[in-house]
Amino acid sequence: MLNTINIGILCLNFDEAKEFYIDNLGFFITMDSIIQCDSGTSRRLTMAHESNKKFSIEFMHPLNIEQAHRVGSKGGTINLFTLPTKNIDTLKERLEKTAFFVNYVEAPYASFLNVEDPMGNNICLYEPC
């Protein structure tokens, strides 16, 4: 068993998502290709995270109008996922004046930076003290 975790994220703009996840969250591309299907072409973009190569995300175009309306909907979750980081102060400085910044909280055991990705999904970054 591979013990991998894969999250599918509905996405309207792959390039914007790719830039955000690489530049801010420490992801790297594992696949970025155009795939031929019966209905035409589709892009497949998958990324893994530097802290855990077995945690990956796959961006997918909505297949219909209902899925397009769900892009960024929270689906009953507080955060899409939570990730460790080693540079929370740098990320906070970079993102706090952008639309991606949600809030920053310091606790005795860790600092937490909550951001929103380009699709509107909440992501929590943390750095233990």
Side-chain angles (χ1 to χ4, degrees), residues 25 78-85 88 102-103 105 111-117 121-127:
L25 303 184
I78 296 170
N79 297 310
L80 181 63
F81 52 82
T82 301
L83 289 172
T85 184
I88 202 159
V102 175
N103 69 0
V105 176
S111 297
F112 298 90
L113 176 61
N114 295 292
V115 298
E116 196 172 86
D117 74 6
N121 298 300
N122 292 330
I123 298 165
C124 179
L125 305 169
Y126 72 94
E127 184 173 6

Side-chain angles (χ1 to χ4, degrees), residues 62-75:
L63 298 175
N64 53 48
I65 194 72
E66 290 82 18
Q67 282 188 352
H69 287 296
R70 289 192 353 231
V71 172
S73 64
K74 306 304 185 247

Side-chain angles (χ1 to χ4, degrees), residues 43-80:
R43 182 173 177 186
R44 181 158 188 206
L45 174 61
T46 61
M47 296 183 184
H49 192 258
E50 62 189 15
S51 71
N52 184 346
K53 313 288 188 280
K54 293 184 178 187
F55 173 68
S56 67
I57 55 178
E58 180 173 355
F59 296 96
M60 298 174 278
H61 283 292
L63 298 175
N64 53 48
I65 194 72
E66 290 82 18
Q67 282 188 352
H69 287 296
R70 289 192 353 231
V71 172
S73 64
K74 306 304 185 247
T77 63
I78 296 170
N79 297 310
L80 181 63

